[in-house]
Each structure stands twice: as structure tokens, then as C-alpha cells.
Amino acid sequence: MAVIAAGAVLSAGALAPAQAATVATPTITAKGGFVMNNGTGKSLYTKAADTRLSTGSTTKIMTARVVLAQPNLNLDAKVTVQKAYSDYIVDNNWASSARLIVGDKVTVRQLLYGLMLPSGCDAAYALADKFGTGSTRAARVKSFIGKMNTTAKNLGLKNTHFDSFDGIGHGANYSTPRDLTKLASSAMKYSTFRTVVKTKSTKQKVTTKNGGYRYMEWKNTNPLLGTYSGAIGVKTGSGPEAKYCLVFAATRNSKTIIGTVLASSSVDNRTVDAKKLLDYGFKK
């Protein structure tokens, strides 16, 4: 009997690790979600992963991606802030802003911080105006949005389309959890992008119209930075149609998990959803 008991103990012990390895699939409030291993590209979680949804300011990931892919990009090139950029914020019901001041000269690098941290629609406009081509601002903006769509096509994002440079769409600005995750993974290959999106806050010295200087302070809207171990980005988004979105990434023990939640029901639920999916991704 002692031998049988010992065998039973051994059997139970052998089974325990297998039981512990079963990871429950999380439930999220977001309409859509997707998570993958950034190193292998392996899909780890899907929920309506290929359903087209409004993206809100997660659109700005593509804005940054297009800028960073420009040939001979000079991140220290200066851009003069135009009145059109600040008027745009007002015209769009005080859209999220980097609070750029007309006449100031800011660098492309600083515009990227203003774009990705406080989610500045004025910074997005400035970048579209700078990197689009054409003799008028409208033509340059149209050209830039064209570059966004060409990039989406080149990256194989079949369910993605942009009609704005910042996510304030006009009826045809959409993507999917899978496509946005793939876009973010592509953007994270740029060291400048990685540096910017993991920054919790920054203080930038800019040149004023009169040749003096002022400091611009921007805080990152991403709630995972500093609250989730290993968080390295990426971008929040929200809007009447988009609800609450978050493209997220974290690295632990050389393993990077990247994913997206779209159309979550609240700011808090968006964060909870993202943390659940990251936890799940690291256990898979």
C-alpha cells in the first residue's frame, strides 16, 4: 500500500505542472482586440481582430511612421508653427493639442513628441504640412494622407484606410486590431519612435518668433507607462465613434508582447483590457 501511495503522489506531482500551464483566455470589454509576440509575429489572442473600427488618435502611429520613413530625414529641421494648426484645434471642438504657439520654431523631433505624448492634432497637422508635397497646404495634407494609405498597403494592412492625419475622420478612417498591431510593430523598428513612445513626460526647448526660447512640457496619455512592468508604448486613442482605444507593448525577459484594443467602454476599462491581454501574452 505504501508503494501505491508513493506512486499516487508522484502521479499527482507530474500532473500539477500541466494543470498550471493552462491559461484562461481573458474577457475584455473592448469590441476588438489582438495580441501577438512581437519577435515571432505569432498571434496569441483575437477578438473581432479583423473587424474594421474607428481608430481615434491611434491613427497618429501611422503619421509618425510616414515621417520616420522619409528619405534623408533631418529630425532637427525646424518647422514654423502656423495659425492654421491652432485654428484647426479650435475648429474641431478643442481637439487634443500639443499647445503649439504660432510663430514658434519647433524641430521635427519635437513635433513627434508633441504628436505621440499629448496626442497633439496640431503637431499632426504640422507634420502633414511639412512632409506632404504640393503648392498649397490643402494639397500637402492630401498628399501626406495619400502616403499614409500607401504605407498601409505596402505593410499589407488590408482593412486599414485613413482620411485624416490625426484620427479626426471624415467617414473613412478605420483599421482593425490586427492591422494596428502590425503597424505599431513596424513603427517600433525605428529607434526614434521607440524612444518617443516610452517617454512618460518631456520638457522641450523651442525657439520663439522673436528669437528667444520657451519650454514646452508634454505628458504621455498612455496609462501603462509606469504602472505596468515592462511597458514600452504605444498610443492611446478616443473619440465619439472610436470610444476608447489603446495600442500597447511591453517587454519582459527579452520577450515583447504587442497588441491593440479598440472601442473599449471607458478609459479605465481600456487600461484593464490592455493589462489583461499583456498578462495573457506573457503567459502564452
Side-chain angles (χ1 to χ4, degrees), residues 200 222-231 246 252 271 275 278-279:
K200 284 179 67 178
N222 185 351
L224 297 179
L225 298 174
T227 69
Y228 188 87
S229 175
L246 183 57
R252 292 180 181 174
T271 307
K275 287 182 176 180
L278 282 168
D279 287 345

Side-chain angles (χ1 to χ4, degrees), residues 26-35 45-51 53 177 260:
T27 300
I28 61 173
T29 64
K31 281 187 182 177
F34 181 78
V35 175
Y45 173 93
T46 62
K47 177 184 177 181
D50 300 306
T51 299
L53 294 165
T260 299

